[in-house]
Amino acid sequence: MKKIINKPENFVDETMTGILYAYGNKVTFLNGDKRILIKNTETKPGKVGIVTAGGSGHLPVFLGYVGEGMIDGCAIGNVFASPSATKMADMIRACDYGSGVLCLYGNYGGDNLNFEMATEEVEFEDIKTTMVRVKDDVASSSKENAEKRRGVAGMVYAFKIAGAAADNMMDLDGVTNVVKKALDNIRTMGVALTPCIVPEVGKPTFTIEDNQMEIGMGIHGEPGIEVGELKTADEIVDIMMEKIIGDIELNEGDEVSIMINGLGATPLEEQLICYKRVYEILEGKGVKIFMPHIGEFATSMEMSGLSITLFKLDEELKTLLRQPATTPFYTNYNK
């Protein structure tokens, strides 16, 4: 295992300390707890709080989106492991500004269970909460069983829409409903070329042969839909876009935002080659692209590969996506 770390057991806490040292003008630990990051800037009284949680190993998700115009707090666990319900409850309390808190997170067993327990706990303190699970990964379940799908890079768009709606002083139901509308129009699929190494494990958590790829693999190494010989960039994109477009109604004249998301070890040049093909496919269908996102937004340690996310927009969603946001890992200058 080659990693630039100190002790594997200190990987998460030292990462968190680095974030605080680098971005302490934007974020801070909650009462010194290195596993709970909250916004460190002034918040409008009565604004709906937006929180998330999940395992480490996916930066910029989840921690990188705590800040102005996105989420207010994030609780983090060990690599690929959910934080505790207690930490989630503490985070919810800290991010309640008087109008309730939206818990917005990926559809994974540990996160589901712990958020349910956390929201039940804060209910006794009259803190109103709603929960929205991100389920954008079209490879993880059929359209008929979409409730079972995993949450992946599409959650970044969800954080952006939720944060903008909350900053506009929508009430809790309003913020919840507009995020649900956004997620109804978000689809993602990924491809993995190499495995990743959890520091405390010290070896790859799965295997992919040098000449192979896995279409639809999850960000923790969950099985995809096809393992096969490595194809060209255009061929890979064609497979992924066929699955994505086949899962959502898309017509000539529609407008979408596209996210090309590197999984941790994919050069920007390769991401741009893939974006070129996505652009050509959508241009051929008469679909316009608004505010493309190209880079690393939701990674899986040093996994090589990428995901494609399509976000179908209406005027409300377009306005909220355009609205400025500034966090340690996301800045939107009102394009």
Side-chain angles (χ1 to χ4, degrees):
M1 177 182 72
K2 289 184 178 180
K3 286 183 178 291
I4 303 176
I5 60 174
N6 295 309
K7 294 181 179 180
E9 62 269 25
N10 295 337
F11 177 80
V12 177
D13 288 345
E14 290 186 346
T15 299
M16 295 295 289
T17 301
I19 289 174
L20 182 67
Y21 288 171
Y23 307 108
N25 61 324
K26 295 182 176 73
V27 295
T28 190
F29 297 146
L30 176 61
N31 299 325
D33 189 333
K34 292 183 179 181
R35 298 302 180 95
I36 305 176
L37 198 69
I38 59 172
K39 191 169 66 172
N40 192 26
T41 52
E42 187 175 352
T43 300
K44 301 174 187 175
K47 185 189 87 71
V48 169
I50 313 294
V51 301
T52 194
S56 303
H58 300 300
L59 272 173
V61 164
F62 306 85
L63 302 161
Y65 304 113
V66 177
E68 291 299 312
M70 293 190 82
I71 60 178
D72 299 285
C74 175
I76 207 78
N78 287 330
V79 176
F80 300 172
S82 177
S84 69
T86 297
K87 290 191 183 297
M88 290 180 178
D90 289 343
M91 170 187 61
I92 292 169
R93 293 185 186 97
C95 297
D96 176 32
Y97 310 116
S99 296
V101 177
L102 167 63
C103 303
L104 180 59
Y105 57 96
N107 186 30
Y108 296 95
D111 298 333
N112 291 336
L113 177 63
N114 289 334
F115 258 121
E116 287 171 3
M117 290 192 292
T119 55
E120 288 174 4
E121 183 176 332
V122 300
E123 273 184 20
F124 292 106
E125 301 162 38
D126 295 325
I127 297 175
K128 186 177 179 182
T129 61
T130 55
M131 292 189 292
V132 175
R133 298 171 181 172
V134 180
K135 307 168 185 176
D136 57 312
D137 185 357
V138 300
S140 55
S141 195
S142 67
K143 190 172 183 178
E144 293 72 26
N145 293 299
E147 288 300 305
K148 297 180 180 179
R149 287 178 171 173
R150 303 180 290 245
V152 284
M155 71 177 64
V156 179
Y157 281 133
F159 293 158
K160 180 66 192 68
I161 297 303
D167 276 359
N168 291 346
M169 303 305 289
M170 285 189 184
D171 63 16
L172 183 57
D173 287 341
V175 173
T176 302
N177 288 335
V178 77
V179 170
K180 287 180 177 179
K181 180 174 79 167
L183 287 168
D184 284 344
N185 289 281
I186 294 173
R187 302 290 189 276
T188 300
M189 177 171 275
V191 58
L193 307 184
T194 67
C196 60
I197 298 172
V198 175
E200 290 196 67
V201 175
K203 59 183 179 180
T205 51
F206 54 91
T207 59
I208 300 177
E209 298 300 324
D210 288 344
N211 64 337
Q212 290 190 322
M213 64 178 189
E214 184 156 358
I215 296 283
M217 175 173 278
I219 56 175
H220 307 105
E222 300 97 333
I225 59 174
E226 177 186 339
V227 178
E229 186 176 346
L230 182 62
K231 301 180 185 297
T232 67
D234 283 0
E235 290 171 331
I236 292 170
V237 171
D238 287 350
I239 293 169
M240 295 166 71
M241 287 297 288
E242 181 180 1
K243 297 289 187 183
I244 290 170
I245 293 173
D247 203 85
I248 190 169
E249 184 178 347
L250 203 59
N251 300 306
E252 184 176 356
D254 283 342
E255 200 161 8
V256 303
S257 184
I258 290 292
M259 178 180 290
I260 305 294
N261 169 61
L263 294 176
T266 301
L268 188 57
E269 290 91 342
E270 295 177 21
Q271 297 176 38
L272 286 163
I273 290 170
C274 291
Y275 178 73
K276 176 193 74 71
R277 182 58 181 163
V278 171
Y279 181 95
E280 292 167 353
I281 291 170
L282 293 176
E283 183 181 44
K285 295 182 176 294
V287 175
K288 298 178 181 179
I289 299 177
F290 175 75
M291 281 183 63
H293 289 54
I294 303 167
E296 291 188 342
F297 296 92
T299 67
S300 183
M301 300 299 295
E302 73 279 40
M303 186 185 291
S304 178
L306 55 79
S307 62
I308 300 172
T309 301
L310 183 148
F311 181 14
K312 183 178 174 181
L313 302 168
D314 62 14
E315 283 306 313
E316 180 184 35
L317 295 174
K318 186 175 176 180
T319 298
L320 293 171
L321 182 61
R322 183 192 293 120
Q323 193 167 309
T326 301
T327 79
F329 291 86
Y330 186 102
T331 300
N332 169 10
Y333 287 108
N334 198 17
K335 295 179 182 178

